[in-house]
Amino acid sequence: MTTDSPHPRPYLIAFALGIAAELLFLANLAIPAKPVFDEVYYAEAARTIASLHGPYNIEHPLLAKTIMAAGILLFGDNSFGWRFFSTIAGAVVIMGVFAIGWQLFGRVRPALYAAIFVLLNFIVYIHARIAMLDGYMAAFVVIAIAAMIAAARAPAPVARRWLLLASVLLGLAVGAKWTAIPFVAFAGIAMIWLKTRRDRPYFAGVGLVPGLALLGLVSIATYALTFAPAFFYRYDPLTLATFVPHQFRILAQQTAPLPAHPYQSPWWSWALDLRPMWYLYEPVDGVQRGILMLGNPAVMWGGLIAVAACLYAGIRERATPMLAIGLLWLGSYGMWALIPKKIGFFYYYYLPSVFLGLALAAALERYAEPRFKYASEAALVLTFALFAWFFPIISAAPLDSDQAFLRWMWFASWR
């Protein structure tokens, strides 16, 4: 494996990316000071965990809300406190994408471009500045994928440690939100596929059955530990006897019929960026503000072409890294056709949108740059320009009137 970095692993670049992302996410984080969208539920849940009062919002497991509770304990029960650790999760996603890209391609440039595409895809930025669960779940999933790739390629003693880390991270991801469960299965499928290949030894020193057992048992044990705060509630605490029944209560809540919502949308529409969601659009502190949960069109639409290119390269040209990226998007998106949710929202597209950034960087370098030398730079400029143009309505910036949103409404379905 080669790299254009003078160091074996470009840790400084990853760290600089994380710092840049964190600074972007932190700017005006406390605005608006009132709860935004589902913060009304999750900030309250974090508040009850911080006080160990009792169960609240039992539809989801505890970890993400426990991390939010830590923010409240550190910074106070205010919008900055609820949201602070969301910024850390967002920065981790960006660094994790860089780590995945660097390991798959062995070079800094495509990894760096992938991370920047993800940073500017709107979705990560918005969720890095709101107290919701998806950003935490995604952070653990993305770094778990990076750890799995490291485990697959590392020598025997190190491979086991990376696999153990990946298993812990996947358990934490499920502890943040159950939509990470399929990724535990994806990790097992990837291990089976790689262990049966003959081109090189993968997961060296780790047998297939012991490896799968470690993956399953450690992730389950880690998930169980994320419920630790509930055992100390003053009211209706969890016990060893009620732990398993509690999981069925979560399942019942997850699959219960829900009333129609004005921003609901079918899963197949998310990839087309057809139905965004207004997280906020109202006067706050005497000024009109808005937060539109929308994907950057350059990444959302260009990324679909890039995914097709990655799958083509993987299948027809046997380019395994390209195939891996295409399958990450396909699996993370296709699972929504099977998950028994009664109602869907665009923000469920968080993880697939992350893998679009990797696909864009990979496809541009493989197919576009041989024909146009500055293809990646042109795509990045377009992505940044759209980020800057839409910034006022993804950042809760002051708007000049209650009709200001119209200048960004490209389609009627965006209203």
Side-chain angles (χ1 to χ4, degrees), residues 37-38 41 258-265 275 277-278 343-345:
F37 193 57
D38 279 353
Y41 305 114
L258 295 173
H261 192 285
Y263 290 132
Q264 71 184 71
S265 54
R275 186 57 174 149
M277 309 170 60
W278 283 107
I343 191 170
F345 298 99

Side-chain angles (χ1 to χ4, degrees), residues 6-92:
H7 304 289
R9 289 180 175 81
Y11 292 120
L12 287 179
I13 295 176
F15 182 72
L17 269 172
I19 293 296
E22 181 65 16
L23 292 175
L24 175 65
F25 300 152
L26 280 173
N28 296 319
L29 178 66
I31 299 173
K34 60 177 290 183
V36 172
F37 193 57
D38 279 353
E39 283 187 333
V40 68
Y41 305 114
Y42 300 131
E44 180 62 26
R47 198 172 292 122
T48 61
I49 293 173
S51 65
L52 293 177
H53 175 70
Y56 182 85
N57 183 243
I58 65 168
E59 177 184 351
H60 298 289
L62 291 186
L63 181 60
K65 295 171 286 188
T66 302
I67 298 173
M68 294 176 202
I72 290 174
L73 292 173
L74 283 172
F75 302 108
D77 188 1
N78 52 56
S79 56
F80 187 90
W82 314 327
R83 298 170 189 156
F84 174 75
F85 283 107
S86 291
T87 68
I88 301 295
V92 168

Side-chain angles (χ1 to χ4, degrees), residues 154-214:
V158 183
R160 287 189 290 271
R161 293 196 291 270
W162 279 115
L163 181 59
L164 177 63
L165 176 61
S167 304
V168 170
L169 292 169
L170 286 169
L172 294 175
V174 177
K177 194 172 184 180
W178 268 18
T179 47
I181 291 174
F183 287 90
V184 182
F186 295 159
I189 293 168
M191 180 180 290
I192 293 170
W193 177 51
L194 291 173
K195 289 295 285 184
T196 56
R197 293 185 60 168
R198 296 289 181 260
D199 54 330
R200 59 170 290 179
Y202 292 95
F203 298 100
V206 180
L208 179 56
V209 173
L212 291 173
L214 184 148

Side-chain angles (χ1 to χ4, degrees), residues 251-271:
L251 178 62
Q253 291 279 329
Q254 290 274 347
T255 56
L258 295 173
H261 192 285
Y263 290 132
Q264 71 184 71
S265 54
W267 68 270
W268 54 264
S269 70
W270 304 335

